[in-house]
Amino acid sequence: METKVFKPAEVAAAAKLIQAGELVAFPTETVYGLGADATNVTAVKQVYQAKGRPSDNPLIVHVADVATVERFAKPLSIAAKKLIKAFWPGPLTMIFNLKPAALAPEVTGGLATAAFRNPNNAATLSLIREAGTPIVGPSANTSGKPSPTTAQHVLHDLDGKIAGILDDGATQVGVESTVLDLSGKQPAILRPGAVTASEIEAVIGEKVMTEQHHVGATEVPKAPGMKYKHYAPDAQVYIVDHLEDWPAALAWAGKQSVQMGVMATDAILTSNQIPANCEQFSLGDDVQSASRELFAGLRHFDTETKIKDILCQAFDSTGLGAAYMNRLNKSAGQTHFRV
């Protein structure tokens, strides 16, 4: 099929495709999502097919208002309402217990819970309202590969497989939303993102569990991104853990007989001698820019230069760094450069 690209002013045309049961990728402040009517089982099944995604991996339901959540979820807790007021629209996804048979198993992965998000992107909120339905929205990429942060990334993976893309330029955050499980006794972050544990705790006044990011190969994940290796390029990524490790890492890279990739901040790229066989990709100045550029860099080496090995900079796993390192570790399959 032809994949049409829509600008924000053309959101009504994109919404008609959603209403017709077609797939339309959409922008958020984090990454691009692959949209389908969350109440149309046939359309939801097509999402899994287009991505090559395991059907036990649940989908996030994107909504334009809290009233839509309340149609499907059991009564929201006081903590949930506080978090909605504090962080929606924004990069926080929350998992709630569902009313019986409220959503199809194809949306929930067969679980009695579902994840909901109110994205902070005007074009996508208009898309949801125009379509008149909540929209499922996993990342709009081939399953397991780096998430898309531009419409061009979506086209690379899904051109001819989906009906349309709503193009609103590059995303601002660059890593997927925080996923907070509110379906149990204690809140738990299942996927770190731009909204941190300390920010959540400050709002709800209780401790949030944070070491819940992985599931085994045979387990059903409660949220996207919990599989061990995820967000992975074709190349092997090596994480360089410390600033003082870079001279040795670059010396090793310079001895290789193939082209190598180097993803690091400008400070590292300018203060070290980069070997001739190493192509550079700047992660900017800090963890904020690095998070925004991480997936774009991995995709650059996959699609434009076909690099086989990449050295990539680590950051402290605090604040946004927790989200960055979660994605980087999964991209690398937990592989670190060792001096």
Side-chain angles (χ1 to χ4, degrees):
M1 71 175 72
E2 178 189 0
T3 300
K4 298 178 181 179
V5 179
F6 302 97
K7 293 299 182 182
E10 303 171 300
V11 70
K16 287 181 180 178
L17 290 176
I18 293 288
Q19 291 172 333
E22 301 286 356
L23 307 187
V24 177
F26 60 87
T28 74
E29 74 279 28
T30 57
V31 301
Y32 273 71
L34 181 55
D37 181 350
T39 65
N40 183 330
V41 173
T42 301
V44 172
K45 287 180 178 178
Q46 290 174 359
V47 170
Y48 289 105
Q49 293 168 0
K51 283 178 58 69
R53 181 188 180 102
S55 59
D56 70 344
N57 211 347
L59 304 175
I60 293 174
V61 180
H62 291 70
V63 300
D65 51 51
V66 179
T68 303
V69 177
E70 293 173 333
R71 280 173 49 198
F72 301 101
K74 291 183 177 179
L76 301 179
S77 65
I78 293 174
K81 292 178 180 178
K82 288 181 178 179
L83 291 168
I84 287 169
K85 183 177 181 180
F87 297 114
W88 278 12
L92 177 64
T93 295
M94 288 180 277
I95 296 176
F96 302 123
N97 290 304
L98 291 172
K99 296 173 183 176
L103 288 168
E106 287 79 6
V107 175
T108 66
L111 301 172
T113 57
F116 293 89
R117 176 153 115 83
N118 179 218
N120 190 14
N121 180 278
T124 288
L125 291 174
S126 294
L127 176 68
I128 298 169
R129 294 189 189 103
E130 287 273 352
T133 181
I135 297 175
V136 296
S139 55
N141 59 308
T142 301
S143 186
K145 293 301 180 181
S147 297
T149 55
T150 68
Q152 290 68 37
H153 294 162
V154 180
L155 275 173
H156 176 269
D157 283 16
L158 300 177
D159 191 13
K161 297 181 180 180
I162 63 176
I165 302 170
L166 181 58
D167 183 0
D168 193 29
T171 63
Q172 290 78 51
V173 177
V175 293
E176 298 85 350
S177 61
T178 304
V179 176
L180 178 68
D181 186 5
L182 292 175
S183 66
K185 292 182 178 180
Q186 184 176 359
I189 290 179
L190 305 188
R191 184 180 72 187
V195 178
T196 66
S198 60
E199 289 174 325
I200 293 169
E201 289 170 347
V203 170
I204 63 176
E206 61 178 302
K207 184 70 175 174
V208 174
M209 293 189 292
T210 58
E211 300 302 320
Q212 311 292 316
H213 305 160
H214 300 295
V215 297
T218 60
E219 294 179 74
V220 177
K222 209 170 188 180
M226 295 182 71
K227 293 292 188 180
Y228 181 70
K229 191 165 186 181
H230 208 72
Y231 320 112
D234 292 334
Q236 176 60 57
V237 178
Y238 296 89
I239 302 170
V240 182
D241 292 305
H242 308 290
L243 297 180
E244 59 268 26
D245 295 338
W246 275 99
L250 291 169
W252 169 79
K255 295 176 182 177
Q256 306 309 306
S257 60
V258 296
Q259 277 295 108
M260 303 286 289
V262 176
M263 295 175 58
T265 54
D266 292 335
I268 287 175
L269 295 178
T270 57
S271 63
N272 288 277
Q273 183 66 41
I274 308 299
N277 68 323
C278 292
E279 181 180 344
Q280 305 173 37
F281 186 94
S282 172
L283 293 177
D285 297 324
D286 51 28
V287 69
Q288 283 76 26
S289 61
S291 297
R292 189 167 57 247
E293 297 295 337
L294 175 63
F295 291 144
L298 296 176
R299 281 183 168 271
H300 168 79
F301 288 125
D302 254 8
T303 61
E304 297 182 33
T305 59
K306 303 295 184 183
I307 294 292
K308 299 299 182 183
D309 295 284
I310 303 169
L311 295 172
C312 191
Q313 182 178 347
F315 285 87
D316 290 338
S317 294
T318 56
L320 183 59
Y324 174 90
M325 290 306 301
N326 172 268
R327 307 314 191 274
L328 180 56
N329 271 299
K330 290 183 179 180
S331 297
Q334 306 288 337
T335 303
H336 296 253
F337 174 78
R338 299 303 181 200
V339 178

